[in-house]
Amino acid sequence: AARIVPVWDLKHLFDAAPRAQFLCVDDVSRQLDISKLEPVFLGFSNEVPWFALALPDSDTPPTFGTSAEYRTLNEVVSLLPGTEASILAYARAMVIWHDNHRYCGRCGASTKPTDGGPIRTCTN
């Protein structure tokens, strides 16, 4: 029942409406080895767990079998319901935060996600 918010090149997957395309684990695992990625737990909404998933850097993004395209949140935020916009903004922010904090600010050792992702802990 978990929902995944894919983030590729700081962009989100939208259909033509534009509606955000939230995926399930099966959608993602058919195209990517999810065990090599670091999903970040965002929280629960209506008892459904939500995760942000930073997709690997590549010239062509994964499509997950849809005709949807990746767009920046700024392009479509005014067209989205508030709940969708906030989930996408939070997912994007967590992906950026994790990318910027891969190393400890005190000793320079690598960090690892803890408690599902909202915390990074120094490995030293």
Side-chain angles (χ1 to χ4, degrees):
R3 304 305 291 165
I4 295 176
V5 181
V7 182
W8 175 79
D9 195 27
L10 300 181
K11 298 175 184 172
H12 298 283
L13 197 56
F14 287 96
D15 65 14
R19 284 187 310 262
Q21 300 298 291
F22 302 119
L23 306 174
C24 66
V25 174
D26 289 343
D27 296 333
V28 176
S29 58
R30 274 187 225 116
Q31 193 163 346
L32 300 170
D33 183 359
I34 199 165
S35 68
K36 294 182 180 180
L37 303 174
E38 293 180 350
V40 178
F41 180 61
L42 300 175
F44 288 94
S45 178
N46 298 324
E47 299 182 19
V48 174
W50 286 79
F51 294 86
L53 185 64
L55 300 175
D57 292 336
S58 64
D59 291 336
T60 47
T63 59
F64 304 106
T66 69
S67 61
E69 63 181 35
Y70 288 86
R71 299 170 71 180
T72 65
L73 189 54
N74 291 346
E75 292 177 57
V76 293
V77 72
S78 63
L79 306 173
L80 298 174
T83 303
E84 273 187 29
S86 62
I87 289 171
L88 293 173
Y90 185 40
R92 182 178 180 276
M94 289 303 290
V95 165
I96 291 169
W97 182 79
H98 274 275
D99 192 45
N100 289 338
H101 293 86
R102 296 205 174 272
Y103 300 96
C104 176
R106 177 169 278 182
C107 72
S110 63
T111 61
K112 65 178 183 175
T114 310
D115 292 341
I119 298 169
R120 290 193 74 90
T121 306
C122 178
T123 58
N124 183 8

